[in-house]
Amino acid sequence: VELELAPMSLLGGFARGEELAEVRHTINCLQSRFDEAIDSGDFDEASRCREAITEAQERDPLAKYNSLRAHKLQAENRQDIAAMERTNDQMRVVKHYLPQYGLEGLWVGRSGALKKQVIRISYEDDMLVGTKIYSDNIVPSGEVIFKVKVSPEATQPQPIDVAHVTDPRLKKLERYTGKGRVVDKKSKSTHWLPGQMILVGDYFAFAWLPINLQIFFMRVPDNITAQLLTLEEDRQSLDRLMSVEAPESESSSPLTEREEVMGRMVGDEMEMEMQMEAEADAGPEAQQRELNEE
């Protein structure tokens, strides 16, 4: 089937969060109606469903991305270089509307070995990178703790279907293949273990699969993000200064003090918020039980 070339249009207007989950649910329902109409020979109903599906897919960045991939393949088959480049540019734009590309910033652990500890999420092309901000638990401060392949073209594990939840974002939990780092404190040797990142509504979790360790993360509120970043810059500056001007035996105390300040800030500012959420926000805890069973 010959596909119409994707026009160079203004991209955007994509649904996010709960709305995106609702859009995808609508698409699935329309697809079921379309299939039933085809089976029964009701081609007028099938046509109406197809138009509604096409309209809804314009709100879903993943559906739009897959549509562009199909256009790109057609262009490659015709060796239409201009169309390939144009479609490729649009794919790069749409890709960053996908939920797995919207995690950049500071996050704090809500459970396990990294509870109340801060990490920074950044991206290297299609690789999500989690870096420790303070504390030496699991890996030293400033070191990468996990990496995740988030490309929509990468082969990923099947989503986790969750029953009996009201939030549409939690009914199907997307998973992404990655690897998590651990450091042996005695030998200082580094090990990379197979892992997965799981999107859980406004949260995400990372699981170190061989050791059955998983940690939920929540985003650090904007009102303390700037303060944490400033403290981290001060810590790095002091680290460089002390490594040059002070004996090694004397250089650890000021750094540890700043790390403790950052830890207290996160704990004091967020403990009340996390407690207030505990009852109303049972979703992530329920999802953790689901992940343990998985």
Side-chain angles (χ1 to χ4, degrees):
V1 177
E2 183 83 5
L3 296 176
E4 181 183 354
L5 282 177
M8 194 63 177
S9 58
L10 181 62
L11 298 171
F14 297 115
R16 294 177 179 271
E18 187 171 346
E19 184 184 9
L20 178 57
E22 293 286 2
V23 167
R24 289 176 174 174
H25 177 70
T26 298
I27 292 173
N28 290 336
C29 291
L30 288 168
Q31 186 63 52
S32 297
R33 286 172 51 190
F34 173 82
D35 294 339
E36 292 173 359
I38 292 295
D39 291 340
S40 64
D42 188 348
F43 299 113
D44 289 339
E45 173 66 8
S47 178
R48 288 191 292 270
C49 289
R50 173 51 59 194
E51 290 178 2
I53 290 171
T54 301
E55 182 178 351
Q57 286 177 336
E58 289 296 314
R59 305 292 319 286
D60 183 349
L62 181 57
K64 183 67 174 180
Y65 185 90
N66 289 335
S67 174
L68 289 169
R69 283 180 65 186
H71 285 104
K72 181 181 176 182
L73 180 59
Q74 288 287 340
E76 288 175 349
N77 291 337
R78 291 192 306 274
Q79 297 184 345
D80 187 338
I81 303 301
M84 290 169 53
E85 293 178 348
R86 181 178 61 194
T87 307
N88 210 40
D89 288 341
Q90 293 187 71
M91 290 172 63
R92 279 196 294 267
V93 173
V94 172
K95 181 172 62 177
H96 293 284
Y97 285 92
L98 296 170
Q100 66 266 33
Y101 284 89
L103 304 179
E104 187 168 12
L106 299 184
W107 295 76
V108 61
R110 290 200 60 178
S111 61
L114 289 179
K115 187 173 183 180
K116 298 184 183 179
Q117 298 187 31
V118 179
I119 66 170
R120 177 190 290 111
I121 297 297
S122 58
Y123 292 89
E124 298 175 357
D125 295 326
D126 293 317
M127 184 73 72
L128 177 148
V129 180
T131 304
K132 287 288 296 295
I133 294 298
Y134 84 97
S135 179
D136 291 340
N137 198 5
I138 299 185
V139 298
S141 174
E143 298 286 343
V144 173
I145 190 169
F146 54 74
K147 293 184 175 183
V148 182
K149 299 176 182 178
V150 294
S151 170
E153 300 184 31
T155 301
Q156 303 292 2
Q158 288 295 316
I160 301 173
D161 291 318
V162 183
H164 311 301
V165 292
T166 57
D167 189 332
R169 297 172 299 174
L170 306 182
K171 293 181 179 180
K172 187 180 292 289
L173 306 181
E174 299 291 340
R175 297 188 288 172
Y176 304 88
T177 301
K179 57 183 180 179
R181 183 168 174 244
V182 293
V183 176
D184 188 316
K185 290 187 176 181
K186 293 183 179 179
S187 66
K188 304 299 182 182
S189 59
T190 296
H191 304 279
W192 286 97
L193 304 178
Q196 289 182 2
M197 182 182 75
I198 307 98
L199 296 185
V200 190
D202 293 330
Y203 305 84
F204 77 87
F206 187 85
W208 286 256
L209 299 177
I211 58 177
N212 196 29
L213 170 65
Q214 57 190 19
I215 299 172
F216 274 88
F217 293 93
M218 66 178 291
R219 191 179 287 279
V220 175
D222 292 339
N223 62 322
I224 63 173
T225 293
Q227 300 175 57
L228 288 173
L229 291 175
T230 299
L231 283 171
E232 173 62 8
E233 291 175 359
D234 291 345
R235 187 196 70 80
Q236 292 178 0
S237 297
L238 185 58
D239 190 5
R240 291 191 295 269
L241 179 64
M242 297 301 293
S243 66
V244 173
E245 297 187 359
E248 182 177 353
S249 61
E250 299 176 3
S251 64
S252 60
S253 178
L255 294 176
T256 301
E257 180 179 5
R258 275 163 173 72
E259 291 171 357
E260 291 176 352
V261 168
M262 295 180 73
R264 287 197 301 271
M265 176 179 292
V266 174
D268 294 345
E269 293 283 347
M270 302 188 68
E271 180 66 22
M272 182 176 297
E273 179 178 335
M274 291 166 66
Q275 289 177 351
M276 291 174 64
E277 289 181 347
E279 295 183 1
D281 188 30
E285 303 302 330
Q287 304 318 313
Q288 187 169 8
R289 290 194 295 271
E290 293 283 346
L291 294 172
N292 285 332
E293 294 175 0
E294 180 78 5

CSV table of all heavy atoms in Angstrom, one decimal, residues 232-268:
chain,number,residue,atom,x,y,z
A,232,GLU,N,25.0,21.2,45.0
A,232,GLU,CA,25.9,20.3,44.3
A,232,GLU,C,27.0,21.0,43.6
A,232,GLU,O,28.2,20.5,43.6
A,232,GLU,CB,25.0,19.5,43.3
A,232,GLU,CG,25.8,18.6,42.4
A,232,GLU,CD,26.6,17.5,43.1
A,232,GLU,OE1,26.4,17.3,44.3
A,232,GLU,OE2,27.4,16.8,42.4
A,233,GLU,N,26.8,22.1,43.0
A,233,GLU,CA,27.9,22.9,42.4
A,233,GLU,C,28.9,23.3,43.4
A,233,GLU,O,30.1,23.2,43.2
A,233,GLU,CB,27.3,24.1,41.7
A,233,GLU,CG,26.5,23.8,40.5
A,233,GLU,CD,25.8,25.0,39.9
A,233,GLU,OE1,26.0,26.1,40.5
A,233,GLU,OE2,25.1,24.9,38.8
A,234,ASP,N,28.5,23.7,44.6
A,234,ASP,CA,29.4,24.1,45.7
A,234,ASP,C,30.2,22.8,46.1
A,234,ASP,O,31.4,22.9,46.4
A,234,ASP,CB,28.6,24.6,46.9
A,234,ASP,CG,28.0,26.0,46.6
A,234,ASP,OD1,28.4,26.6,45.6
A,234,ASP,OD2,27.2,26.4,47.4
A,235,ARG,N,29.5,21.7,46.2
A,235,ARG,CA,30.2,20.5,46.6
A,235,ARG,C,31.3,20.1,45.6
A,235,ARG,O,32.4,19.8,46.0
A,235,ARG,CB,29.2,19.3,46.7
A,235,ARG,CG,29.9,18.1,47.3
A,235,ARG,CD,29.0,16.8,47.1
A,235,ARG,NE,29.0,16.5,45.7
A,235,ARG,CZ,29.9,15.8,45.0
A,235,ARG,NH1,31.0,15.4,45.7
A,235,ARG,NH2,29.8,15.5,43.8
A,236,GLN,N,31.0,20.2,44.3
A,236,GLN,CA,32.0,19.9,43.3
A,236,GLN,C,33.1,20.8,43.3
A,236,GLN,O,34.3,20.4,43.1
A,236,GLN,CB,31.3,19.8,41.9
A,236,GLN,CG,30.3,18.7,41.7
A,236,GLN,CD,29.6,18.8,40.4
A,236,GLN,OE1,29.9,19.6,39.6
A,236,GLN,NE2,28.7,17.8,40.2
A,237,SER,N,32.9,22.1,43.5
A,237,SER,CA,33.9,23.1,43.5
A,237,SER,C,34.8,22.9,44.7
A,237,SER,O,36.1,22.9,44.6
A,237,SER,CB,33.3,24.5,43.6
A,237,SER,OG,32.6,24.8,42.5
A,238,LEU,N,34.2,22.5,45.9
A,238,LEU,CA,35.0,22.3,47.1
A,238,LEU,C,35.8,21.0,46.9
A,238,LEU,O,37.0,20.9,47.3
A,238,LEU,CB,34.1,22.2,48.3
A,238,LEU,CG,34.8,22.0,49.6
A,238,LEU,CD1,35.8,23.1,49.9
A,238,LEU,CD2,33.8,21.9,50.7
A,239,ASP,N,35.3,20.0,46.2
A,239,ASP,CA,36.0,18.8,46.0
A,239,ASP,C,37.2,19.0,45.2
A,239,ASP,O,38.3,18.5,45.5
A,239,ASP,CB,35.0,17.8,45.2
A,239,ASP,CG,35.6,16.4,45.1
A,239,ASP,OD1,36.6,16.2,45.7
A,239,ASP,OD2,35.0,15.6,44.4
A,240,ARG,N,37.1,19.8,44.1
A,240,ARG,CA,38.3,20.2,43.3
A,240,ARG,C,39.3,20.9,44.1
A,240,ARG,O,40.5,20.7,44.0
A,240,ARG,CB,37.8,21.0,42.0
A,240,ARG,CG,37.1,20.1,41.0
A,240,ARG,CD,36.9,20.9,39.7
A,240,ARG,NE,36.1,22.1,39.9
A,240,ARG,CZ,34.8,22.1,39.8
A,240,ARG,NH1,34.1,21.0,39.4
A,240,ARG,NH2,34.1,23.2,39.9
A,241,LEU,N,38.8,21.9,44.9
A,241,LEU,CA,39.7,22.7,45.7
A,241,LEU,C,40.5,21.9,46.7
A,241,LEU,O,41.7,22.0,46.9
A,241,LEU,CB,38.9,23.8,46.4
A,241,LEU,CG,39.7,24.8,47.3
A,241,LEU,CD1,40.7,25.6,46.5
A,241,LEU,CD2,38.8,25.7,48.1
A,242,MET,N,39.8,21.0,47.5
A,242,MET,CA,40.4,20.3,48.5
A,242,MET,C,41.4,19.2,48.0
A,242,MET,O,42.4,18.9,48.6
A,242,MET,CB,39.3,19.6,49.4
A,242,MET,CG,38.4,20.6,50.1
A,242,MET,SD,39.3,21.7,51.2
A,242,MET,CE,39.9,20.5,52.4
A,243,SER,N,41.1,18.7,46.8
A,243,SER,CA,42.0,17.7,46.2
A,243,SER,C,43.3,18.3,45.8
A,243,SER,O,44.3,17.6,45.7
A,243,SER,CB,41.3,17.1,45.0
A,243,SER,OG,41.1,18.0,43.9
A,244,VAL,N,43.3,19.6,45.6
A,244,VAL,CA,44.6,20.3,45.2
A,244,VAL,C,45.3,20.8,46.4
A,244,VAL,O,46.5,20.7,46.5
A,244,VAL,CB,44.3,21.4,44.2
A,244,VAL,CG1,45.6,22.2,43.9
A,244,VAL,CG2,43.7,20.8,42.9
A,245,GLU,N,44.6,21.5,47.3
A,245,GLU,CA,45.2,22.2,48.4
A,245,GLU,C,45.3,21.5,49.7
A,245,GLU,O,46.0,22.0,50.6
A,245,GLU,CB,44.4,23.5,48.6
A,245,GLU,CG,44.5,24.4,47.3
A,245,GLU,CD,43.8,25.8,47.6
A,245,GLU,OE1,43.4,26.0,48.7
A,245,GLU,OE2,43.8,26.6,46.7
A,246,ALA,N,44.6,20.4,50.0
A,246,ALA,CA,44.6,19.8,51.3
A,246,ALA,C,45.0,18.4,51.2
A,246,ALA,O,44.8,17.7,50.2
A,246,ALA,CB,43.2,19.9,51.9
A,247,PRO,N,45.6,17.8,52.2
A,247,PRO,CA,46.0,16.4,52.3
A,247,PRO,C,44.7,15.6,52.2
A,247,PRO,O,43.6,16.0,52.6
A,247,PRO,CB,46.6,16.2,53.7
A,247,PRO,CG,47.0,17.6,54.1
A,247,PRO,CD,46.1,18.6,53.5
A,248,GLU,N,44.9,14.4,51.6
A,248,GLU,CA,43.7,13.6,51.4
A,248,GLU,C,42.9,13.3,52.6
A,248,GLU,O,41.7,13.2,52.7
A,248,GLU,CB,44.1,12.3,50.7
A,248,GLU,CG,43.0,11.3,50.3
A,248,GLU,CD,43.5,10.1,49.6
A,248,GLU,OE1,44.7,10.1,49.3
A,248,GLU,OE2,42.7,9.2,49.4
A,249,SER,N,43.7,13.1,53.8
A,249,SER,CA,43.0,12.7,55.0
A,249,SER,C,42.2,13.9,55.6
A,249,SER,O,41.3,13.6,56.4
A,249,SER,CB,44.1,12.4,56.1
A,249,SER,OG,44.9,13.5,56.3
A,250,GLU,N,42.4,15.1,55.1
A,250,GLU,CA,41.6,16.2,55.6
A,250,GLU,C,40.5,16.6,54.7
A,250,GLU,O,39.7,17.5,55.0
A,250,GLU,CB,42.5,17.4,55.9
A,250,GLU,CG,43.6,17.1,56.9
A,250,GLU,CD,44.5,18.3,57.0
A,250,GLU,OE1,44.3,19.3,56.4
A,250,GLU,OE2,45.5,18.2,57.8
A,251,SER,N,40.4,16.1,53.5
A,251,SER,CA,39.5,16.6,52.5
A,251,SER,C,38.1,16.0,52.5
A,251,SER,O,37.2,16.6,51.9
A,251,SER,CB,40.1,16.3,51.1
A,251,SER,OG,40.1,14.9,50.9
A,252,SER,N,37.9,14.9,53.3
A,252,SER,CA,36.6,14.3,53.2
A,252,SER,C,35.6,15.0,54.1
A,252,SER,O,34.4,15.0,53.8
A,252,SER,CB,36.7,12.8,53.7
A,252,SER,OG,37.2,12.8,55.0
A,253,SER,N,35.9,15.6,55.2
A,253,SER,CA,35.0,16.1,56.1
A,253,SER,C,34.1,17.2,55.5
A,253,SER,O,32.8,17.1,55.7
A,253,SER,CB,35.7,16.7,57.4
A,253,SER,OG,34.7,17.2,58.3
A,254,PRO,N,34.6,18.3,54.9
A,254,PRO,CA,33.7,19.3,54.3
A,254,PRO,C,32.8,18.7,53.3
A,254,PRO,O,31.6,19.1,53.2
A,254,PRO,CB,34.7,20.3,53.7
A,254,PRO,CG,36.0,20.1,54.4
A,254,PRO,CD,36.0,18.6,54.7
A,255,LEU,N,33.2,17.8,52.5
A,255,LEU,CA,32.4,17.2,51.4
A,255,LEU,C,31.2,16.4,52.1
A,255,LEU,O,30.1,16.5,51.7
A,255,LEU,CB,33.2,16.3,50.5
A,255,LEU,CG,34.2,16.9,49.7
A,255,LEU,CD1,35.0,15.9,48.9
A,255,LEU,CD2,33.6,17.9,48.7
A,256,THR,N,31.6,15.6,53.1
A,256,THR,CA,30.5,14.9,53.8
A,256,THR,C,29.5,15.8,54.4
A,256,THR,O,28.3,15.6,54.4
A,256,THR,CB,31.2,14.0,54.9
A,256,THR,OG1,32.1,13.1,54.3
A,256,THR,CG2,30.1,13.2,55.6
A,257,GLU,N,30.0,16.9,55.0
A,257,GLU,CA,29.1,17.9,55.6
A,257,GLU,C,28.1,18.4,54.6
A,257,GLU,O,26.9,18.5,54.8
A,257,GLU,CB,29.8,19.1,56.2
A,257,GLU,CG,29.0,20.1,56.9
A,257,GLU,CD,29.8,21.2,57.5
A,257,GLU,OE1,31.0,21.2,57.3
A,257,GLU,OE2,29.2,22.1,58.1
A,258,ARG,N,28.5,18.8,53.4
A,258,ARG,CA,27.6,19.3,52.4
A,258,ARG,C,26.7,18.2,51.9
A,258,ARG,O,25.5,18.5,51.6
A,258,ARG,CB,28.4,19.8,51.2
A,258,ARG,CG,28.8,21.3,51.5
A,258,ARG,CD,29.9,21.8,50.6
A,258,ARG,NE,30.2,23.2,50.7
A,258,ARG,CZ,30.8,23.7,51.8
A,258,ARG,NH1,31.2,22.9,52.8
A,258,ARG,NH2,31.0,25.0,51.9
A,259,GLU,N,27.2,17.0,51.8
A,259,GLU,CA,26.3,15.9,51.4
A,259,GLU,C,25.2,15.7,52.5
A,259,GLU,O,24.0,15.5,52.1
A,259,GLU,CB,27.1,14.6,51.3
A,259,GLU,CG,28.0,14.6,50.1
A,259,GLU,CD,28.9,13.4,50.0
A,259,GLU,OE1,28.9,12.6,51.0
A,259,GLU,OE2,29.7,13.3,49.0
A,260,GLU,N,25.5,15.9,53.7
A,260,GLU,CA,24.5,15.7,54.8
A,260,GLU,C,23.5,16.9,54.7
A,260,GLU,O,22.3,16.7,55.0
A,260,GLU,CB,25.2,15.7,56.2
A,260,GLU,CG,26.0,14.4,56.4
A,260,GLU,CD,26.7,14.5,57.7
A,260,GLU,OE1,26.8,15.6,58.4
A,260,GLU,OE2,27.3,13.4,58.1
A,261,VAL,N,24.0,18.1,54.4
A,261,VAL,CA,23.1,19.2,54.2
A,261,VAL,C,22.1,18.9,53.1
A,261,VAL,O,20.9,19.1,53.3
A,261,VAL,CB,23.9,20.5,53.9
A,261,VAL,CG1,22.9,21.6,53.5
A,261,VAL,CG2,24.6,21.0,55.1
A,262,MET,N,22.5,18.4,52.0
A,262,MET,CA,21.6,18.0,50.9
A,262,MET,C,20.6,17.0,51.4
A,262,MET,O,19.5,17.0,51.0
A,262,MET,CB,22.4,17.6,49.7
A,262,MET,CG,23.3,18.7,49.1
A,262,MET,SD,24.2,18.1,47.7
A,262,MET,CE,22.9,18.0,46.5
A,263,GLY,N,21.1,16.0,52.1
A,263,GLY,CA,20.3,14.9,52.6
A,263,GLY,C,19.2,15.4,53.5
A,263,GLY,O,18.0,15.1,53.4
A,264,ARG,N,19.6,16.3,54.4
A,264,ARG,CA,18.6,16.9,55.4
A,264,ARG,C,17.6,17.7,54.6
A,264,ARG,O,16.4,17.7,55.0
A,264,ARG,CB,19.3,17.7,56.4
A,264,ARG,CG,20.1,16.9,57.4
A,264,ARG,CD,20.4,17.7,58.7
A,264,ARG,NE,21.2,18.9,58.4
A,264,ARG,CZ,22.6,18.9,58.3
A,264,ARG,NH1,23.2,17.8,58.6
A,264,ARG,NH2,23.2,20.0,58.0
A,265,MET,N,18.1,18.5,53.6
A,265,MET,CA,17.1,19.3,52.9
A,265,MET,C,16.1,18.5,52.2
A,265,MET,O,14.9,18.8,52.3
A,265,MET,CB,17.9,20.2,51.8
A,265,MET,CG,16.9,21.0,51.0
A,265,MET,SD,17.8,22.0,49.8
A,265,MET,CE,18.7,23.1,50.8
A,266,VAL,N,16.5,17.5,51.5
A,266,VAL,CA,15.5,16.6,50.9
A,266,VAL,C,14.6,16.0,51.9
A,266,VAL,O,13.4,15.9,51.7
A,266,VAL,CB,16.2,15.5,50.0
A,266,VAL,CG1,15.2,14.5,49.5
A,266,VAL,CG2,17.0,16.1,48.9
A,267,GLY,N,15.2,15.4,53.0
A,267,GLY,CA,14.3,14.8,53.9
A,267,GLY,C,13.4,15.7,54.6
A,267,GLY,O,12.2,15.4,54.7
A,268,ASP,N,13.8,16.9,55.1
A,268,ASP,CA,12.9,17.8,55.8
A,268,ASP,C,11.9,18.4,54.9
A,268,ASP,O,10.7,18.5,55.3
A,268,ASP,CB,13.8,18.9,56.4
A,268,ASP,CG,14.7,18.4,57.5
A,268,ASP,OD1,14.5,17.3,57.9
A,268,ASP,OD2,15.7,19.2,57.8
